[in-house]
Amino acid sequence: MGGGKSQSIVVKLFQRNPMKKLWKLLAAAVLIVPALHAQATSVSRPARRAMTFNDLAAVKNVSDPQLSPSGLRILYAVRTTDLARNRRSTVTYISAIDGSGRRRFPDDSTNASEARWSPDGNSIAYVSGGQLWIADASGGNKRRLTALQGGASGPVWAKTGDRIAFVSGVYPSCADDACNVSRAKADEENPVKARVTDRLLYRHWNAWQDSTRSHLFVVPVNGGPATDITAGVWYDVPPGPFGGSEGYSFSPDGKELAFTAKDAGREDAWSTDINLYTVPVTGGTPKVITASNRGADANPVYSPDGRWIIYSSQQRAGFEADRGRLMAYDRTTGSSSELLPNWDASADAYQFTASGDAIYIESASKAQQKIFRITRSGSGYTGAPQVIVASDHNTSLSISRDGRTLAWSQDAVERPAEIFVATVSPAAPRRGSVVTSGPRQLTHENDALLAELSLNPAEEFWFRGAGGD
């Protein structure tokens, strides 16, 4: 129907203007094709509309999937925007892995974020009102663990289940929270709002660097005061502006923490020399373990057997866009080596399975954020990484204890993030599909909104550039 009509229009145009330049004919064709496409699609479905600012504000931001150790339940966060009140709020939901039984956690009256399962799956730590809380997995028996001036964020459980690490803003010269309270009150009541600085970096992008620093704390789960295990240091743990709980982790025995920090002194504004440190959970002088590399070393993860700490390392000093090599620090010898020296991608995020038989890696590849896996053989982690999830943008991977269930956040140019799940073979052969079931979309928070909008997917194309690239 449409093809015959468009051909007639084009022929008539060419006959009436035989001497016109070809670009006019092409311009007419460009106009005709979208019009006929719209006519055809309007027959099969209701007309969709262009996206507006209000639609953008109405998007529900789904994030932070957290599988229970058993892999049978999942936590995830949903952030919404209230334009009238000019504010955003985040709530946490819990459901079965098939999506059934969905409800707010811990209850309908609490705005919770950064929810994290205990190692036994019986309790959940979360942040609410700027402080750290804990509740039973059912949502009952809520207890507040912190009441700090600088708040609490980024909870990370020790594998032993008896303590939680988090970060809080402190005045480095203060020895206790009473001092932090007094300093904060004095700053607020001081009529002089001028900023005085005697060192760089005094501002990062659009945020001023004030007098406080983010420090690493540990708090007992059964009650007791939180301990600043980086007391007295003048750097942030982890470094800003993007650092979160991926910047620190417990050793398997719960006796040590590794963390990311940047102690560049007067060179802070232009140095990329970020390092990894270790410190006992009782506190003490942090020990730098990556001092030999002048680029950025970040985001430590202990192997389940405690022998290794894997991390991302940029080799070139002063260059923020260098490839993030996946490195392994041997806690016995104190030396580091690259795990995948023949892989040309960056390890953006990574984690071991509970057995240590595999490492999952999130990495950008050909304009998509993919999920890869390397498996352990007798001689270590060898071979090229296997692609587990190849399409679109995939982040925030969570793995069940048995390594068979995966959950992650996936988005694309034409759709916001939702949570996806899949079942995998934890010891898959090097050849063949690793995924045995899925991927399956678990959440559908934005389906109704997307049904009204006309959004176009990105199209991939390749061409040969300079030097044959």
Side-chain angles (χ1 to χ4, degrees), residues 409-446:
S409 172
Q410 183 185 98
D411 66 272
V413 171
E414 77 281 11
R415 53 185 171 84
E418 298 283 0
I419 306 304
F420 283 69
V421 297
T423 304
V424 299
S425 173
R430 295 300 304 175
R431 296 180 180 180
S433 177
V434 176
V435 178
T436 60
S437 176
R440 173 177 58 85
Q441 186 173 335
L442 176 70
T443 64
H444 295 267
E445 297 288 341
N446 294 291

Side-chain angles (χ1 to χ4, degrees), residues 126-283:
Y126 61 95
V127 174
S128 182
Q131 299 294 341
L132 183 61
W133 294 69
I134 190 173
D136 295 341
S138 64
N141 297 318
K142 295 187 300 183
R143 293 184 293 115
R144 190 174 68 179
L145 295 181
T146 67
L148 297 171
Q149 165 63 33
S153 64
V156 172
W157 284 84
K159 297 296 188 295
T160 51
D162 59 343
R163 62 193 72 190
I164 297 172
F166 64 95
V167 294
S168 181
V170 304
Y171 291 86
S173 60
C174 283
D176 53 40
D177 200 49
C179 174
N180 290 319
V181 172
S182 176
R183 287 283 304 276
K185 182 179 179 182
D187 286 350
E188 178 66 25
E189 295 177 348
N190 189 345
V192 178
K193 301 304 179 185
R195 296 180 178 272
V196 178
T197 183
D198 58 5
R199 59 184 293 174
L200 297 175
L201 184 66
Y202 64 89
R203 189 186 68 186
H204 201 131
W205 297 347
N206 63 341
W208 292 105
Q209 174 73 72
D210 60 17
S211 300
T212 64
R213 295 292 182 270
S214 177
H215 276 197
L216 185 59
F217 283 72
V218 170
V219 64
V221 170
N222 293 328
T227 301
D228 182 354
I229 65 168
T230 53
V233 303
W234 286 83
Y235 50 74
D236 288 298
V237 181
F242 300 125
S245 58
E246 72 281 355
Y248 45 92
S249 64
F250 280 99
S251 60
D253 61 10
K255 296 180 180 180
E256 180 182 274
L257 275 157
F259 64 86
T260 310
K262 180 181 177 183
D263 188 16
R266 294 180 61 86
E267 298 182 358
D268 189 32
W270 52 86
S271 172
T272 62
D273 190 14
I274 298 171
N275 281 298
L276 297 185
Y277 297 76
T278 59
V279 65
V281 295
T282 53

Side-chain angles (χ1 to χ4, degrees), residues 461-469:
F461 68 94
W462 295 85
F463 63 93
R464 191 165 297 281
D469 294 333

